[in-house]
Amino acid sequence: MTKHHIYWWNLENLFDIENSPRRSEFLNNHLGNELKGWDATILNQKIANLTAIISKFNNGEGPDILGVCEVENEHVIELLISAMGTALQKNYGFVISEGDDKRGIDTALIYDKTKYGPEQLTFSLRIIKRNTTRDLFQVHINTANGNKLICILNHWPSRSGGELTSEPFRIMVAENLSYWIERIYEEQGSDANILLMGDFNDNPYNKSIT
């Protein structure tokens, strides 16, 4: 039996630097003072801190697959996987969902390229009810022995405004995800390998999960 060492981490505002050419003018204006003092030195220190912990995963072997959220763009993910690759002597690839979040925080899947083939398919589902939620992001990757692994990355609506006030938004996303899973089984077969990962902003006993 092949073991897959899979992890998830909310990287908590892994932003690019304020004057980055990769950021849109809208996002730069929207973030405003939130980025005050955020420069290349601080970004590089955050990358170093994250890498120091990630390198301890799997008894020092590092992750096979690492799902992350709250990343701004491809550049910051490239910085992270470069640091991870150097520390762990591994070749990591990634795929990112460029969503519509007002703060520019997206989800991404990092994977060991020696153990998994290129992604076959990526698909995003955007759910709207008063406000746009962060996308559900589906990635198909092939394992080394040719099996398909379907990863669905989640970053559900936060509890901003209170747990009960915000709960309907998480339930709404959960209902859409449940239907989506049913459709995958219909299209891929009942033995499809589906992995749900993410920051659900709820606990296992909350309505959205149950």
Side-chain angles (χ1 to χ4, degrees), residues 114-148:
T114 64
K115 295 185 177 181
Y116 305 95
E119 62 277 3
Q120 290 186 323
L121 171 73
T122 62
F123 181 78
S124 295
L125 177 63
R126 190 158 298 167
I127 305 166
I128 300 175
K129 184 178 181 181
R130 276 193 277 173
N131 297 100
T132 305
T133 69
R134 288 177 285 260
D135 292 1
L136 297 173
F137 185 42
Q138 178 178 328
V139 182
H140 294 200
I141 57 176
N142 290 323
T143 64
N145 56 6
N147 292 321
K148 182 188 298 182

Side-chain angles (χ1 to χ4, degrees), residues 53-82:
I53 301 302
I54 293 169
S55 298
K56 298 180 187 299
F57 292 178
N58 185 20
N59 295 317
E61 294 294 322
D64 296 329
I65 293 175
L66 173 62
V68 296
C69 67
E70 294 203 9
V71 295
E72 183 182 342
N73 55 32
E74 290 189 5
H75 176 63
V76 292
I77 288 291
E78 288 168 349
L79 291 176
L80 180 60
I81 66 170
S82 175

